[in-house]
Amino acid sequence: MRRLTDSRTAQQLRDNASGLISKGFKVPIEDLRYIRLAEYEEREQQRELFTVSYDPDEEYYNND
């Protein structure tokens, strides 16, 4: 899967958003969208690492 977001940028936006919220400011919706998309992509990336994908019809042995 090709990512649309950057992990470093997403973390910086998370830090910025938490600072804005703690000071009583609203977080820009674009930042929230980016953060949410990055979280989704991180979950998908983890799922790809831990999921075994195979074709049950594919032969894994040689019938000579």
Side-chain angles (χ1 to χ4, degrees), residues 26-59:
K26 287 187 174 183
V27 180
I29 191 72
E30 296 85 10
D31 292 355
L32 294 174
R33 286 180 182 150
Y34 193 94
I35 292 167
R36 182 160 275 180
L37 177 59
E39 290 171 352
Y40 171 78
E41 289 178 337
E42 289 165 8
R43 283 192 309 269
E44 285 297 310
Q45 194 172 28
Q46 289 298 319
R47 189 182 337 222
E48 286 178 4
L49 290 175
F50 294 112
T51 303
V52 176
S53 177
Y54 68 95
D55 181 6
D57 295 330
E58 185 177 308
E59 291 185 10

Side-chain angles (χ1 to χ4, degrees), residues 1 6-7 9 12 17 21 27-30 33 42-44 60 62-63:
M1 173 177 124
D6 177 56
S7 297
T9 302
Q12 290 172 341
I21 290 169
V27 180
I29 191 72
E30 296 85 10
R33 286 180 182 150
E42 289 165 8
R43 283 192 309 269
E44 285 297 310
Y60 289 99
N62 193 358
N63 288 329

